[in-house]
Amino acid sequence: MFSIWLLVRFAHVLAAVLWVGGQLFLSLVVRPAAGTTLDDSTRSAFFIKVGRIFGRLSSFVLFPILLGTGIGLIYHRGVDIGALAVGSYGQILTVKIVLAFVSFGLAAVHGVMSGRAGSGVARILGITGGVVSATVVLLATALVP
């Protein structure tokens, strides 16, 4: 049955797909392809540009949608602060929320570090952020009734 909450959940899932899918696509498809077809200076300029575009999309569109719809879905589900520590649903939701914020933080630091040429730290942050984001999706699947 159609309801506004169906649209809210759809927006939440779509934003998550774009966020996590974008990370995975850039890491698993674009990076290897660029690494074998672009020279060093062109590749660097390309990734700076792609990173800025994805960063703006994430910061100004995806994160606000995820945060707003996530809060709305928690409210709609009737979960209060006390319930976050009780039962498997609340505990999984709590871990998911914490890891989502960790993922956002790692992405922000990765963006800053990526501007520094040859930063191995940026690569480690990117990989770690991707793993954390995929874990958030895994936890989200555990929350679906």
Side-chain angles (χ1 to χ4, degrees):
M1 179 164 181
F2 179 80
S3 74
I4 189 69
W5 294 108
L6 179 66
L7 290 177
V8 172
R9 185 178 303 121
F10 175 76
H12 191 75
V13 170
L14 181 60
V17 165
L18 292 172
W19 167 241
V20 178
Q23 288 178 314
L24 293 173
F25 182 75
L26 289 172
S27 298
L28 301 174
V29 178
V30 175
R31 188 176 188 286
T36 59
T37 58
L38 301 174
D39 62 71
D40 289 345
S41 64
T42 304
R43 184 173 53 249
S44 178
F46 173 76
F47 278 114
I48 289 170
K49 183 68 171 176
V50 168
R52 285 186 182 147
I53 292 169
F54 190 67
R56 281 192 296 264
L57 174 68
S58 299
S59 297
F60 299 116
V61 178
L62 301 179
F63 295 165
I65 289 172
L66 286 166
L67 185 61
T69 58
I71 291 169
L73 290 167
I74 289 170
Y75 168 78
H76 176 67
R77 181 92 177 182
V79 177
D80 62 16
I81 297 296
L84 292 176
V86 178
S88 62
Y89 184 89
Q91 292 170 347
I92 292 170
L93 180 59
T94 300
V95 173
K96 177 186 175 252
I97 292 167
V98 169
L99 288 179
F101 280 106
V102 168
S103 174
F104 299 159
L106 286 168
V109 176
H110 171 74
V112 170
M113 297 303 292
S114 293
R116 301 176 183 183
S119 174
V121 174
R123 182 170 170 83
I124 292 168
L125 288 168
I127 292 168
T128 304
V131 170
V132 171
S133 294
T135 303
V136 170
V137 173
L138 175 67
L139 292 171
T141 62
L143 296 173
V144 177

